[in-house]
Amino acid sequence: MQPEQWDVVIIGGGAAGLSAGLVLARARRRVLVADGGEPRNRFAGHMHGVLTRDGFPPLELVAAGRREVEGYGGVIADTTVVRVEQADDGAFDVELADSRMLRARRVIAASGLTDELPDVPGLAERWGIDVVQCPYCDGWEHRDERIGVLATSPGNLHQAQLLRQWSDRVVFIRHDVEALEPDDERGLAARGIRVIDDRVSRLLVEGDRLTGVELAGGEVVELDVIFTAGRFVPRDGPLAGLGAATTETPVGPWIAVDGTGLTSVAGLWAIGNAATPFALVPMAMGSGVQAAAAVNADLVAEEVRAAVAESEAVSAAAPSV
């Protein structure tokens, strides 16, 4: 069977992928968004800091975005991409999990990342409820509450200092990081942030509400919310064979992109958390729009070259008068 022909295949249908799909569909491109329906923020009940959509459920945003893309002729495939290879002509062969084969002139990776959470009993069950990560997304909702920072990396020090803006009852639980530097200890103490040199053994929950944590030493710390950070793991498996260059980030190597999301592989763009591990929803949306415009411009340039070559070939073949 001949593979289906597409101008652009987008891997991932979250805020970034759907934004790119919307722009390209409106540009009358033949575009397919392949999405397995598991956006990173699906555990959260609401988004925040998204202009005109503050407090909006993330899955409702995705559903609305899908309708908009489809309204302009874009196609949503409810499946994932398992493999991408680049052909000799520069196009891409894309294999879907449902065994369909696609041929795409351009590919946009909007596959995001996975949060590998700290291995603490009860923590995964509360993720997105009262165990969260982003101060800008959830700080306001927990203002003046008892906030615990479960530290798994040095970056949690910055997280704790940020959260002090929302509450004067912040506790830094060292859990899985090395002993603090004297300057860090002084900075926490100066702002009234208590440091606990122990590990969390389990979360304490009453009904459907977090009440605190129990430490390895037996102490119970009463809390209303825990901020922490999982290990960021890019969902870039299908792209492995393309050999895109990476860049070092605070969370490890990530696909390197230019200002439009273009990678080192001609014809391959990466957007959202696939390109920027710390991108929030509005940033992901913006990266999708920017990449879509760049992809469309790239396709137009290719079409101009093809049209000029065809015109010149016709002129050369025409009999002279």
Side-chain angles (χ1 to χ4, degrees):
M1 291 180 60
Q2 291 294 318
E4 301 173 20
Q5 303 293 316
W6 297 89
D7 289 326
V8 185
V9 168
I10 300 173
I11 306 172
L18 290 172
S19 293
L22 179 61
V23 171
L24 288 163
R26 283 178 49 83
R28 307 191 75 176
R29 291 298 178 186
R30 183 166 164 76
V31 58
L32 179 142
V33 180
D35 181 56
E38 294 185 343
R40 179 191 179 198
N41 61 1
R42 65 190 182 278
F43 301 101
H46 305 89
M47 304 177 302
H48 295 286
V50 185
L51 193 63
T52 78
R53 290 295 181 270
D54 189 71
F56 204 69
L59 292 180
E60 289 188 22
L61 180 79
V62 169
R66 283 177 160 227
R67 291 192 297 270
E68 291 178 353
V69 171
E70 291 175 326
Y72 288 103
V75 173
I76 308 293
D78 294 316
T79 186
T80 57
V81 171
V82 297
R83 182 175 58 88
V84 181
E85 294 182 354
Q86 192 164 32
D88 292 339
D89 62 359
F92 296 88
D93 293 314
V94 181
E95 181 182 355
L96 303 182
D98 61 12
S99 300
R100 291 162 61 188
M101 293 299 299
L102 315 178
R103 171 58 71 95
R105 297 168 64 190
R106 304 291 185 273
V107 167
I108 299 177
S111 44
L113 62 83
T114 297
D115 297 287
E116 288 191 354
L117 302 178
D119 185 16
V120 175
L123 187 142
E125 291 79 6
R126 307 303 300 176
W127 184 244
I129 304 170
D130 39 31
V131 177
V132 292
Q133 177 172 274
C134 172
Y136 295 104
C137 303
D138 296 291
W140 173 265
E141 282 63 42
H142 297 287
R143 62 197 184 278
D144 301 323
E145 292 185 355
R146 299 169 299 181
I147 297 175
V149 176
L150 176 64
T152 59
S153 74
N156 292 115
L157 284 164
H158 177 62
Q159 188 182 47
Q161 292 289 12
L162 284 178
L163 288 164
R164 181 59 181 80
Q165 296 176 225
W166 284 277
S167 175
D168 60 3
R169 296 188 289 172
V170 178
V171 175
F172 183 87
I173 306 173
R174 200 159 61 80
H175 189 69
D176 206 23
V177 297
E178 299 294 331
L180 301 181
E181 295 293 332
D183 284 349
D184 294 325
E185 289 186 339
R186 284 193 290 270
L188 293 169
R191 302 189 75 202
I193 299 172
R194 178 190 174 196
V195 176
I196 297 178
D197 290 317
D198 201 350
R199 296 178 58 85
V200 172
S201 61
R202 66 187 180 102
L203 271 61
L204 303 176
V205 178
E206 292 183 6
D208 193 34
R209 185 176 68 86
L210 175 77
T211 60
V213 297
E214 182 179 329
L215 303 178
E219 180 185 355
V220 170
V221 181
E222 295 182 348
L223 298 171
D224 300 304
V225 63
I226 294 172
F227 281 76
T228 189
R231 187 172 77 90
F232 291 178
V233 180
R235 294 179 177 175
D236 56 3
L239 307 176
L242 296 176
T246 61
T247 186
E248 197 60 35
T249 75
V251 294
W254 225 259
I255 294 178
V257 297
D258 72 2
T260 71
L262 179 63
T263 71
S264 63
V265 178
L268 173 67
W269 273 256
I271 59 177
N273 288 144
T276 307
F278 301 105
L280 305 181
V281 170
M283 299 162 67
M285 288 178 169
S287 71
V289 172
Q290 190 168 35
V295 167
N296 189 59
D298 194 40
L299 289 170
V300 168
E302 180 180 90
E303 290 156 0
V304 169
R305 291 192 297 270
V308 168
E310 182 180 358
S311 176
E312 290 177 347
V314 169
S315 297
S320 57
V321 178

Short mmCIF file of all heavy atoms in Angstrom, two decimals, residues 87-117:
data_model
loop_
_atom_site.label_atom_id
_atom_site.label_comp_id
_atom_site.label_asym_id
_atom_site.label_seq_id
_atom_site.Cartn_x
_atom_site.Cartn_y
_atom_site.Cartn_z
N ALA A 87 13.42 10.02 4.31
CA ALA A 87 13.73 9.41 3.02
C ALA A 87 14.81 10.22 2.30
O ALA A 87 15.16 11.34 2.70
CB ALA A 87 12.47 9.33 2.16
N ASP A 88 15.32 9.66 1.22
CA ASP A 88 16.39 10.31 0.47
C ASP A 88 15.95 11.65 -0.12
O ASP A 88 16.79 12.55 -0.30
CB ASP A 88 16.87 9.40 -0.67
CG ASP A 88 17.59 8.16 -0.15
OD1 ASP A 88 18.06 8.21 1.01
OD2 ASP A 88 17.68 7.17 -0.90
N ASP A 89 14.65 11.80 -0.38
CA ASP A 89 14.17 13.05 -0.95
C ASP A 89 13.87 14.11 0.10
O ASP A 89 13.40 15.21 -0.21
CB ASP A 89 12.92 12.81 -1.81
CG ASP A 89 11.74 12.26 -1.01
OD1 ASP A 89 11.89 12.04 0.22
OD2 ASP A 89 10.67 12.04 -1.61
N GLY A 90 14.15 13.81 1.37
CA GLY A 90 13.94 14.78 2.45
C GLY A 90 12.60 14.66 3.14
O GLY A 90 12.41 15.24 4.21
N ALA A 91 11.66 13.92 2.54
CA ALA A 91 10.36 13.71 3.18
C ALA A 91 10.51 12.70 4.32
O ALA A 91 11.57 12.09 4.50
CB ALA A 91 9.33 13.24 2.17
N PHE A 92 9.46 12.52 5.07
CA PHE A 92 9.50 11.66 6.24
C PHE A 92 8.49 10.52 6.11
O PHE A 92 7.35 10.75 5.72
CB PHE A 92 9.19 12.46 7.51
CG PHE A 92 10.21 13.52 7.81
CD1 PHE A 92 10.08 14.80 7.28
CD2 PHE A 92 11.30 13.25 8.64
CE1 PHE A 92 11.01 15.79 7.55
CE2 PHE A 92 12.23 14.24 8.92
CZ PHE A 92 12.09 15.51 8.37
N ASP A 93 8.94 9.32 6.46
CA ASP A 93 8.04 8.17 6.57
C ASP A 93 7.67 8.02 8.03
O ASP A 93 8.55 7.87 8.90
CB ASP A 93 8.73 6.90 6.06
CG ASP A 93 8.99 6.97 4.55
OD1 ASP A 93 8.07 7.37 3.82
OD2 ASP A 93 10.11 6.63 4.13
N VAL A 94 6.37 8.07 8.31
CA VAL A 94 5.87 8.07 9.69
C VAL A 94 4.99 6.85 9.89
O VAL A 94 4.02 6.64 9.16
CB VAL A 94 5.06 9.35 9.98
CG1 VAL A 94 4.57 9.35 11.43
CG2 VAL A 94 5.89 10.60 9.69
N GLU A 95 5.34 6.05 10.88
CA GLU A 95 4.54 4.87 11.21
C GLU A 95 3.74 5.13 12.47
O GLU A 95 4.28 5.56 13.49
CB GLU A 95 5.44 3.66 11.42
CG GLU A 95 4.67 2.38 11.74
CD GLU A 95 5.57 1.18 12.00
OE1 GLU A 95 6.80 1.32 11.83
OE2 GLU A 95 5.03 0.12 12.39
N LEU A 96 2.44 4.87 12.39
CA LEU A 96 1.55 5.05 13.53
C LEU A 96 1.37 3.74 14.28
O LEU A 96 1.59 2.65 13.74
CB LEU A 96 0.19 5.57 13.08
CG LEU A 96 0.18 6.89 12.29
CD1 LEU A 96 -1.25 7.30 11.96
CD2 LEU A 96 0.89 7.99 13.06
N ALA A 97 0.95 3.84 15.53
CA ALA A 97 0.74 2.64 16.35
C ALA A 97 -0.39 1.78 15.81
O ALA A 97 -0.44 0.58 16.11
CB ALA A 97 0.44 3.05 17.80
N ASP A 98 -1.28 2.35 15.02
CA ASP A 98 -2.36 1.56 14.42
C ASP A 98 -1.94 0.95 13.08
O ASP A 98 -2.78 0.49 12.30
CB ASP A 98 -3.63 2.39 14.25
CG ASP A 98 -3.43 3.60 13.33
OD1 ASP A 98 -2.39 3.67 12.64
OD2 ASP A 98 -4.32 4.47 13.30
N SER A 99 -0.63 0.97 12.80
CA SER A 99 -0.02 0.35 11.62
C SER A 99 -0.16 1.16 10.34
O SER A 99 0.30 0.72 9.28
CB SER A 99 -0.57 -1.07 11.39
OG SER A 99 -0.29 -1.90 12.51
N ARG A 100 -0.77 2.32 10.40
CA ARG A 100 -0.85 3.16 9.20
C ARG A 100 0.53 3.74 8.90
O ARG A 100 1.29 4.06 9.79
CB ARG A 100 -1.86 4.29 9.40
CG ARG A 100 -3.29 3.83 9.47
CD ARG A 100 -4.19 4.88 10.09
NE ARG A 100 -4.22 6.12 9.34
CZ ARG A 100 -4.82 7.22 9.76
NH1 ARG A 100 -5.43 7.23 10.94
NH2 ARG A 100 -4.83 8.30 9.02
N MET A 101 0.82 3.90 7.62
CA MET A 101 2.06 4.52 7.17
C MET A 101 1.73 5.84 6.49
O MET A 101 0.84 5.89 5.63
CB MET A 101 2.81 3.60 6.22
CG MET A 101 3.34 2.33 6.86
SD MET A 101 4.55 2.66 8.20
CE MET A 101 5.84 3.53 7.29
N LEU A 102 2.46 6.88 6.86
CA LEU A 102 2.24 8.21 6.32
C LEU A 102 3.53 8.70 5.66
O LEU A 102 4.63 8.33 6.06
CB LEU A 102 1.83 9.19 7.41
CG LEU A 102 0.78 8.75 8.44
CD1 LEU A 102 0.57 9.85 9.47
CD2 LEU A 102 -0.54 8.40 7.75
N ARG A 103 3.38 9.56 4.66
CA ARG A 103 4.53 10.26 4.08
C ARG A 103 4.26 11.76 4.30
O ARG A 103 3.23 12.29 3.87
CB ARG A 103 4.66 9.94 2.60
CG ARG A 103 5.67 10.77 1.81
CD ARG A 103 7.07 10.68 2.35
NE ARG A 103 7.72 9.40 2.13
CZ ARG A 103 8.52 9.14 1.10
NH1 ARG A 103 8.77 10.08 0.19
NH2 ARG A 103 9.08 7.97 0.99
N ALA A 104 5.17 12.43 4.99
CA ALA A 104 5.00 13.84 5.34
C ALA A 104 6.12 14.66 4.75
O ALA A 104 7.30 14.29 4.87
CB ALA A 104 4.95 14.01 6.85
N ARG A 105 5.78 15.80 4.19
CA ARG A 105 6.81 16.71 3.69
C ARG A 105 7.57 17.35 4.86
O ARG A 105 8.76 17.61 4.77
CB ARG A 105 6.18 17.79 2.82
CG ARG A 105 5.52 17.25 1.56
CD ARG A 105 4.66 18.29 0.88
NE ARG A 105 5.45 19.43 0.38
CZ ARG A 105 4.91 20.56 -0.08
NH1 ARG A 105 3.58 20.71 -0.10
NH2 ARG A 105 5.69 21.53 -0.51
N ARG A 106 6.87 17.61 5.95
CA ARG A 106 7.48 18.18 7.14
C ARG A 106 6.88 17.49 8.37
O ARG A 106 5.74 17.01 8.34
CB ARG A 106 7.23 19.69 7.25
CG ARG A 106 7.69 20.50 6.05
CD ARG A 106 9.20 20.53 5.93
NE ARG A 106 9.62 21.41 4.84
CZ ARG A 106 9.76 21.03 3.56
NH1 ARG A 106 9.50 19.77 3.21
NH2 ARG A 106 10.16 21.90 2.64
N VAL A 107 7.65 17.47 9.46
CA VAL A 107 7.19 16.89 10.72
C VAL A 107 7.41 17.90 11.84
O VAL A 107 8.46 18.56 11.91
CB VAL A 107 7.94 15.58 11.05
CG1 VAL A 107 7.69 15.14 12.49
CG2 VAL A 107 7.51 14.47 10.10
N ILE A 108 6.42 18.03 12.71
CA ILE A 108 6.54 18.84 13.92
C ILE A 108 6.39 17.93 15.13
O ILE A 108 5.36 17.26 15.29
CB ILE A 108 5.47 19.95 13.98
CG1 ILE A 108 5.61 20.91 12.79
CG2 ILE A 108 5.58 20.72 15.29
CD1 ILE A 108 4.53 21.98 12.74
N ALA A 109 7.42 17.86 15.96
CA ALA A 109 7.37 17.06 17.18
C ALA A 109 6.81 17.90 18.32
O ALA A 109 7.41 18.90 18.72
CB ALA A 109 8.76 16.55 17.54
N ALA A 110 5.65 17.52 18.79
CA ALA A 110 5.01 18.18 19.93
C ALA A 110 4.66 17.12 20.97
O ALA A 110 3.61 17.17 21.60
CB ALA A 110 3.76 18.94 19.48
N SER A 111 5.58 16.18 21.13
CA SER A 111 5.32 14.98 21.93
C SER A 111 5.49 15.19 23.42
O SER A 111 5.16 14.32 24.22
CB SER A 111 6.23 13.84 21.44
OG SER A 111 7.54 14.30 21.22
N GLY A 112 6.07 16.32 23.82
CA GLY A 112 6.13 16.68 25.23
C GLY A 112 7.11 15.86 26.04
O GLY A 112 8.13 15.37 25.53
N LEU A 113 6.79 15.69 27.32
CA LEU A 113 7.66 14.96 28.24
C LEU A 113 6.83 14.21 29.25
O LEU A 113 5.63 14.42 29.39
CB LEU A 113 8.65 15.91 28.93
CG LEU A 113 8.08 17.03 29.82
CD1 LEU A 113 7.77 16.52 31.23
CD2 LEU A 113 9.07 18.17 29.93
N THR A 114 7.51 13.33 29.97
CA THR A 114 6.89 12.56 31.05
C THR A 114 7.55 12.96 32.37
O THR A 114 8.77 13.14 32.43
CB THR A 114 7.08 11.06 30.82
OG1 THR A 114 6.41 10.69 29.61
CG2 THR A 114 6.48 10.26 31.97
N ASP A 115 6.75 13.10 33.42
CA ASP A 115 7.27 13.38 34.75
C ASP A 115 7.45 12.07 35.51
O ASP A 115 6.48 11.39 35.82
CB ASP A 115 6.29 14.27 35.53
CG ASP A 115 6.11 15.63 34.90
OD1 ASP A 115 7.04 16.44 34.99
OD2 ASP A 115 5.04 15.88 34.31
N GLU A 116 8.70 11.70 35.78
CA GLU A 116 8.97 10.54 36.63
C GLU A 116 9.02 11.02 38.07
O GLU A 116 9.94 11.73 38.48
CB GLU A 116 10.29 9.87 36.23
CG GLU A 116 10.20 9.13 34.91
CD GLU A 116 11.42 8.26 34.66
OE1 GLU A 116 12.38 8.32 35.46
OE2 GLU A 116 11.41 7.53 33.66
N LEU A 117 8.02 10.65 38.84
CA LEU A 117 7.82 11.23 40.16
C LEU A 117 8.71 10.58 41.22
O LEU A 117 9.14 9.43 41.07
CB LEU A 117 6.35 11.07 40.57
CG LEU A 117 5.33 11.71 39.62
CD1 LEU A 117 3.92 11.42 40.11
CD2 LEU A 117 5.57 13.20 39.51
#
